[in-house]
Amino acid sequence: MAHRFDVLGLFDNEYRDDGYRTCSVTGLEVHRSVENHVKLFGLTAVVALLFGGVFALTVATTRWELIGLLEPGDFYTHLSMHAWNLLIFWMVFMEVAILYVGGPMVLGRRLPLTAVAKAGWVTMVAGAVSINYAIWTTSGVNEAPLLTSYVPLPSEPLFYAGAVVFILGTVVAALPFFVAMWREKRENPGETLPLVSFGAFVTSIIAVEALLGGLAAFVPTLLWRIEYIAWWDAAWYRQMYWIIGHGSQQINLVAMITVWYFLTHVVAGAEVVSEKVSRTAFILYLFFINLGAAHHLLSDPAVSTGWRIWNTSYAFYGATFASLIHAFAIPAGLEAGRRKRGKGRGLFGWLTSAPWKNPVFSATIFSIILFGFLGGTTGVMMGQLQLNMTWHNTFATVGHFHGTVVLGTTVAFMGLVFFVIRTMFMRQYVSERLASVQPFFYSAAMGVAVLMMMYVGILYGVPRRTAEVVENIPGTEFSLAAASPLFAIFGVFALLAITGGILFGVVAVGSLLFGDRVEGREDNADLVADGGLAMADDPDDPVHAYEMRGTFVLCLVFLAAFATTYALNWYLLTQLWSIGA
Amino acid sequence: MASHSDADATASPLEFVRRVIGRAWRDLLSVFYTNTPIWRLLKSVGLLFFGFFCWSASNLLFSYGVDWTILQYVRAYGFVLIFWGPLTHAVIVPYVIRLRRNARRPLARTLARQGSKLTIAVFLVLVLVLGTYPIGAMTLDFGSSLQGGDGGSDVDPDLLCTQTDGTVDCRLSESDGIDHVVVLSGDREVDRADEPPFEVAFHEDDLEEVVGQKEFVVELRDEDGDTLRRYRRSVATIPEG
């Protein structure tokens, strides 16, 4: 039955008289109200991804100075567009959709306050459009804000207003999720939330922290910019700003891990090997993950050494520990779950027999591996007071967060979009082969590009946010020309990664517009985990009875890489200069 | 099914270690020879990344002035692995396995039996040779970072400004390497100097105001119009002349 605002037949699934339908893949009871809003926010996120991806092309071809597409002033504008659309709009719209999936959809509930959800969407879109317009029309005394918009550099007043509106819109859009959780607990006071709902709930709490920080940063700054107040403290702004600036990336992290648990379970038969351990890891995030934002202030004045060391070393390790728990728990659940299904011969048979042709699975696994090896390890290193000195504001920092929010979150969310196309929009992929290839192609190309970013940053000290460093640093004898060969590799693989991004757009949008309709249960049978999901509920066949030695070996490899990189960075730091020599 | 068998539980420590090592070796062989498409891909890409890591980490240490001989061989190992890993697992191992199934001639049968050992031997020889005699492509240049890239000179004069009755005067401590100087406020050019000593003057009423501040930007440019240095100043911070 089509929704009255249906476009292109995207909101027209068949529901029973009570508004529910049973998902043939997950077995969830899905209500029309949840599904339509998940689609709405998800589609908007994909539009932001495609729009921001255009600027990935202009930014990458400027940093690859052999092409040197843009002038320095234009580069900053394009970089701002790239950052806001991909780091914020693509992510946050998708995360609201994930809240609705993890909350009411997994719990089999209606979405409460649908008018509020729609109002949230309208407000968020208004904020996003305002920010884009303000950045693109930056002129005169104003500066393009990039992501940080540091006081006292002035940006367009509309930009600050747009940021405040977008943040408020996100809070409004999250309200139905909170109400759904509240009602669930009121109706079932003795029952535990499913792990995915629990992860979504933790995500939402971290999101509220971040959004409040955003309001604390942007509201006074807006007042300062429209000259309602005469002065605003730059140090205060920076500290408040990073609550949302990095906090929003922590929302990405926790939402991504929630998606990992969800998708590995649904399409590959993973089970949770220990609910308590996984939930404990989420709780650790709740207390410690936002402290990691302090690493942005490690080279700033105005905060004490004790504050820096506490936030970025001791406390932050609480979050690192949580990540390491998930790094074991998710593959271990996958291994044990697949062995239980008779799909686990040898050390790694459980992994290689997995449905690699299914882009939902491959995207999720690449997200786990690449986030862990490239994004996570570098985050722990550069988030430390001493090692930060060699990373701060170099291109390696850009490599780090492309390792987290692109190779980690974006790849996982791409997998989720592939899943939603089949199970909610009810469309077959416009090309099975292209859909299968895309996660491999995109992840590999982006992986090399990210490594090159880190490499030129650490090896040559190439700075971030700068259009001209290799060809020419104006007005100085200092030269970074030696980094040219590595920038050439970066440029080629960045363009390949952008091609992979275009491929995603072609498959996603093409499938929605031209994909064959999924008519019955058998059309989505290839998405269902081997043996069906009912196996996970067998009390006589507990998952912890199955071995996980493959995961143990993989984790040892990961720890070896982590320890080696960590020791290497410390050793390099000792080589920079001698104290007292 | 647990992997830790009863036999393991009753074995002496020495026997236990021997079994663990034996099992690890068999696992390694099984991984080396596994030949499904996804295994081929994972092994190739995994070794490519590992090779890249060894190569880049060694170069990184060299760039900091560390001079260990072992690093030359780690760098060579990583560099060769970038190519050899994918070659071995995407091409050679599948070919050897195919030969084992249908080799007829003696040479082919020998290749089928010894192909993997031969591959690893060639690989190790390459590592030893390139570790001892590194080629240009595997080494990176760190020496030129502090020399002029395109012959540009260091242009870094002090900008000295004073104001008198609302008129701001600015001059430079040095003029070398500069073609012309412009003063900008917003998108407008409010003054320009084309000759040394590049003194500029303008009235504060010509400046745009932002967040209660009259600001201006002084840009030093070369003959191509490219910016060499940029100074942002606020009138409120400029001393009376």
Side-chain angles (χ1 to χ4, degrees):
Chain A
M1 187 184 77
H3 190 276
R4 63 196 166 102
F5 294 130
D6 189 23
V7 263
L8 304 168
L10 299 176
F11 295 81
D12 64 346
N13 287 344
E14 292 298 323
Y15 301 94
R16 297 189 298 267
D17 290 345
D18 60 359
Y20 283 91
R21 68 178 183 88
T22 305
C23 176
S24 65
V25 177
T26 60
L28 295 172
E29 289 296 309
V30 180
H31 193 268
R32 177 195 300 125
S33 58
V34 190
E35 189 159 57
N36 285 339
H37 286 87
V38 169
K39 289 176 180 178
L40 179 67
F41 280 91
L43 279 174
T44 316
V46 171
V47 170
L49 172 71
L50 299 179
F51 186 57
V54 172
F55 297 98
L57 181 64
T58 56
V59 166
T61 48
T62 303
R63 290 263 17 193
W64 185 15
E65 290 171 48
L66 188 71
I67 297 176
L69 184 71
L70 301 170
E71 290 298 310
D74 294 335
F75 172 71
Y76 223 66
T77 300
H78 282 239
L79 195 56
S80 303
M81 297 290 278
H82 177 64
W84 276 90
N85 282 289
L86 292 182
L87 267 173
I88 304 295
F89 305 142
W90 149 242
M91 297 286 173
V92 177
F93 277 107
M94 187 57 91
E95 278 146 11
V96 174
I98 288 168
L99 290 188
Y100 293 169
V101 171
M105 190 177 283
V106 168
L107 296 169
R109 306 183 67 91
R110 305 170 62 106
L111 183 73
L113 312 181
T114 51
V116 173
K118 288 185 181 71
W121 180 82
V122 169
T123 314
M124 286 171 74
V125 169
V129 170
S130 303
I131 289 170
N132 273 306
Y133 180 80
I135 293 172
W136 193 244
T137 55
T138 294
S139 63
V141 293
N142 294 301
E143 304 282 350
L146 225 156
L147 195 69
T148 44
S149 52
Y150 276 157
V151 171
L153 286 178
S155 293
E156 295 281 352
L158 183 63
F159 161 77
Y160 301 107
V164 171
V165 168
F166 183 80
I167 292 167
L168 287 173
T170 309
V171 174
V172 171
L175 286 175
F177 167 81
F178 285 112
V179 171
M181 301 306 266
W182 170 259
R183 289 180 181 171
E184 174 71 15
K185 292 308 290 180
R186 289 293 297 265
E187 290 168 23
N188 307 291
E191 288 187 27
T192 313
L193 289 171
L195 184 65
V196 171
S197 303
F198 187 80
F201 190 50
V202 170
T203 305
S204 69
I205 298 170
I206 291 169
V208 169
E209 286 177 37
L211 294 168
L212 290 176
L215 291 176
F218 282 114
V219 170
T221 310
L222 171 63
L223 297 177
W224 162 79
R225 182 61 189 85
I226 60 176
E227 299 183 35
Y228 186 78
I229 54 178
W231 174 83
W232 195 240
D233 186 335
W236 163 269
Y237 172 83
R238 286 160 89 100
Q239 192 160 342
M240 289 303 112
Y241 166 77
W242 281 114
I243 298 174
I244 188 169
H246 206 266
S248 55
Q249 308 322 309
Q250 312 297 13
I251 309 167
N252 301 340
L253 169 84
V254 186
M256 170 187 76
I257 288 172
T258 304
V259 169
W260 289 352
Y261 277 106
F262 179 66
L263 291 181
T264 51
H265 171 65
V266 170
V267 300
E271 296 184 29
V272 183
V273 287
S274 169
E275 288 266 352
K276 279 182 186 164
V277 169
S278 292
R279 285 169 199 266
T280 303
F282 276 119
I283 294 286
L284 283 170
Y285 276 152
L286 197 56
F287 287 109
F288 295 118
I289 193 83
N290 270 351
L291 303 178
H295 78 258
H296 288 278
L297 305 176
L298 289 179
S299 297
D300 279 24
V303 287
S304 71
T305 304
W307 184 92
R308 295 166 212 243
I309 291 173
W310 167 255
N311 279 293
T312 60
S313 292
Y314 300 103
F316 185 52
Y317 293 152
T320 307
F321 181 48
S323 291
L324 293 177
I325 290 173
H326 290 305
F328 181 82
I330 294 172
L334 185 65
E335 177 173 8
R338 291 192 64 73
R339 285 189 192 280
K340 187 173 168 179
R341 287 167 161 71
K343 298 287 177 184
R345 286 176 49 237
L347 191 62
F348 297 121
W350 55 277
L351 189 59
T352 52
S353 68
W356 286 97
K357 283 186 180 170
N358 178 354
V360 180
F361 176 80
S362 59
T364 308
I365 294 299
F366 290 143
S367 166
I368 294 169
I369 293 170
L370 293 168
F371 176 89
F373 275 88
L374 297 181
T377 55
T378 53
V380 175
M381 283 186 298
M382 63 179 285
Q384 193 187 51
L385 180 62
Q386 298 89 337
L387 296 184
N388 186 267
M389 287 188 275
T390 55
W391 284 73
H392 188 72
N393 276 353
T394 66
F395 206 36
T397 305
V398 183
H400 153 71
F401 68 70
H402 278 76
T404 53
V405 295
V406 181
L407 290 173
T409 312
T410 294
V411 172
F413 287 5
M414 282 176 170
L416 188 64
V417 170
F418 281 128
F419 182 73
V420 166
I421 287 170
R422 292 283 300 274
T423 57
M424 291 193 205
F425 288 104
M426 296 296 185
R427 296 291 189 281
Q428 298 283 12
Y429 301 130
V430 71
S431 162
E432 288 281 346
R433 184 174 289 270
L434 282 183
S436 289
V437 164
Q438 193 275 337
F440 288 87
F441 186 80
Y442 182 73
S443 304
M446 198 71 211
V448 176
V450 161
L451 279 171
M452 285 299 153
M453 290 179 192
M454 293 180 192
Y455 200 17
V456 294
I458 288 289
L459 197 59
Y460 293 104
V462 168
R464 66 190 293 195
R465 299 183 171 187
T466 316
E468 296 175 343
V469 288
V470 174
E471 289 280 310
N472 161 41
I473 304 178
T476 177
E477 292 177 346
F478 192 83
S479 164
L480 290 168
S484 300
L486 297 180
F487 259 109
I489 301 173
F490 160 76
V492 168
F493 279 92
L495 291 180
L496 286 172
I498 290 164
T499 308
I502 293 168
L503 195 58
F504 172 77
V506 167
V507 173
V509 177
S511 302
L512 291 178
L513 297 180
F514 310 114
D516 293 337
R517 180 95 196 164
V518 171
E519 295 296 351
R521 179 176 292 267
E522 63 287 346
D523 282 352
N524 269 344
D526 60 314
L527 284 184
V528 181
D530 303 286
L533 291 179
M535 288 185 78
D537 302 322
D538 185 357
D540 296 326
D541 194 8
V543 71
H544 56 253
Y546 292 84
E547 62 179 348
M548 304 163 198
R549 64 192 179 99
T551 302
F552 183 66
V553 170
L554 291 177
C555 284
L556 286 181
V557 172
F558 171 68
L559 280 175
F562 194 178
T564 306
T565 329
Y566 199 76
L568 181 67
N569 270 267
W570 267 100
Y571 180 76
L572 294 175
L573 190 64
T574 66
Q575 298 304 298
L576 280 176
W577 60 82
S578 301
I579 297 173
Chain B
M1 187 197 85
S3 63
H4 191 77
S5 65
D6 292 342
D8 282 342
T10 55
S12 69
L14 202 67
E15 180 64 14
F16 176 76
V17 169
R18 201 180 63 78
R19 279 182 194 168
V20 167
I21 291 171
R23 192 183 303 140
W25 173 247
R26 284 193 301 278
D27 282 338
L28 191 67
L29 277 183
S30 129
V31 168
F32 186 87
Y33 281 112
T34 309
N35 194 32
T36 58
I38 187 61
W39 260 117
R40 288 203 293 264
L41 184 85
L42 288 176
K43 287 189 291 187
S44 302
V45 175
L47 288 175
L48 185 148
F49 271 83
F50 182 61
F52 183 88
F53 176 80
C54 292
W55 175 65
S56 62
S58 313
N59 269 318
L60 191 56
L61 283 159
F62 282 130
S63 77
Y64 276 72
V66 178
D67 193 21
W68 301 335
T69 307
I70 185 74
L71 276 183
Q72 294 174 356
Y73 292 95
V74 174
R75 179 175 65 181
Y77 171 80
F79 182 73
V80 179
L81 198 62
I82 289 171
F83 306 98
W84 208 264
L87 177 76
T88 300
H89 290 286
V91 179
I92 295 173
V93 168
Y95 179 70
V96 164
I97 288 172
R98 220 173 21 253
L99 273 183
R100 284 185 183 184
R101 289 199 190 112
N102 51 27
R104 302 260 185 278
R105 295 175 181 163
L107 178 63
R109 282 206 297 275
T110 307
L111 267 181
R113 274 198 311 275
Q114 312 298 343
S116 300
K117 297 189 191 78
L118 200 63
T119 304
I120 290 172
V122 172
F123 171 73
L124 290 176
V125 168
L126 274 175
V127 170
L128 287 172
V129 170
L130 289 176
T132 312
Y133 307 104
I135 56 172
M138 60 186 275
T139 59
L140 290 172
D141 170 24
F142 314 114
S144 62
S145 291
L146 289 169
Q147 298 145 21
D150 54 358
S153 58
D154 209 357
V155 178
D156 192 19
D158 292 328
L159 179 71
L160 309 164
C161 296
T162 55
Q163 60 169 320
T164 315
D165 300 330
T167 299
V168 180
D169 295 281
C170 294
R171 58 189 176 80
L172 299 172
S173 60
E174 292 171 46
S175 305
D176 294 345
I178 302 166
D179 183 71
H180 60 277
V181 172
V182 293
V183 182
L184 303 165
S185 182
D187 290 333
R188 287 183 309 108
E189 188 176 299
V190 293
D191 196 23
R192 179 186 179 100
D194 291 309
E195 300 294 334
F198 302 114
E199 290 182 356
V200 288
F202 46 92
H203 200 275
E204 69 171 292
D205 292 344
D206 297 335
L207 302 179
E208 290 194 32
E209 187 172 317
V210 60
V211 287
Q213 303 276 341
K214 294 271 191 178
E215 279 197 341
F216 61 95
V217 171
V218 177
E219 284 195 1
L220 318 185
R221 294 178 178 172
D222 63 14
E223 58 276 9
D224 299 326
D226 290 332
T227 303
L228 299 169
R229 290 277 160 190
R230 201 164 183 264
Y231 306 81
R232 179 187 288 269
R233 294 283 186 272
S234 165
V235 173
T237 63
I238 294 184
E240 292 286 340

